[in-house]
Amino acid sequence: MHDAPPVHDEQPDGLTELAAHLRLAVGRLHRRIRIDGRESIPPLQLSALVTVEQHGPLRLSELARREAVTAPTMSRVLSALDEQGLVRRAPDPQDARGVLVSLSEPGAAALAEVRTHRTALVARRLARLDDAQRAALAAAMPALEALLVDDD
């Protein structure tokens, strides 16, 4: 009888170190963009708008699940978005008691404005890099985008 090989938490070929560096760099860049962006829409409201844009119309419960928050929290978020005119609420044709939330035209415009502003912020940071660094980032984009695919 043979013993099973020991289980190690360390990843091969420096994978753990690369993961730590990537996590820090992406996290810090995201934070800088958020801070420098000074958007008038708080992060959870902004995230909810993006989710409604991508998957809407949605029921409050589905939106809360997708955003990993409680239904009461999402209800407050939607109330704030509704007050600003960034979402529309409509009766759910499948359930007379339910409401479907969708993005309004002002909501779509607000998202476009945030994206344009954040893209400009990143472009200014990219402009500080030399050609080789920008080429390295461009070459890494397929790998970075592949990290966004969820495991099934």
Side-chain angles (χ1 to χ4, degrees):
M1 215 185 208
H2 297 284
D3 289 336
V7 176
H8 297 286
D9 288 337
E10 287 300 312
Q11 297 289 328
D13 302 323
L15 196 57
T16 300
E17 186 175 343
L18 176 60
H21 281 107
L22 181 62
R23 177 185 55 78
L24 281 171
V26 169
R28 287 177 178 164
L29 179 60
H30 180 258
R31 185 169 185 271
R32 287 291 355 144
I33 292 166
R34 239 186 30 242
I35 290 169
D36 294 348
R38 295 184 219 62
E39 283 95 19
S40 59
I41 304 171
L44 183 54
Q45 290 180 23
L46 191 59
S47 182
L49 282 177
V50 170
T51 299
V52 169
E53 177 190 51
Q54 292 174 340
H55 303 285
L58 294 171
R59 293 180 61 122
L60 181 143
S61 58
E62 176 63 12
L63 183 55
R65 185 189 68 74
R66 288 179 179 274
E67 290 295 316
V69 298
T70 64
T73 296
M74 187 51 63
S75 180
R76 286 189 296 275
V77 167
L78 287 176
S79 291
L81 292 172
D82 196 22
E83 285 174 19
Q84 298 171 70
L86 302 178
V87 294
R88 284 190 307 259
R89 296 180 192 229
D92 183 346
Q94 306 296 322
D95 179 358
R97 296 170 298 161
V99 173
L100 292 176
V101 178
S102 60
L103 198 61
S104 67
E105 285 186 31
L111 279 180
E113 182 179 327
V114 167
R115 288 177 174 138
T116 298
H117 184 66
R118 286 185 174 190
T119 298
L121 291 171
V122 174
R124 282 198 297 276
R125 288 180 177 272
L126 286 171
R128 297 189 315 218
L129 302 178
D130 62 35
D131 289 343
Q133 289 171 317
R134 283 193 296 272
L137 280 174
M141 285 309 301
L144 291 170
E145 289 167 344
L147 293 175
L148 298 174
V149 177
D150 291 332
D151 295 331
D152 285 335

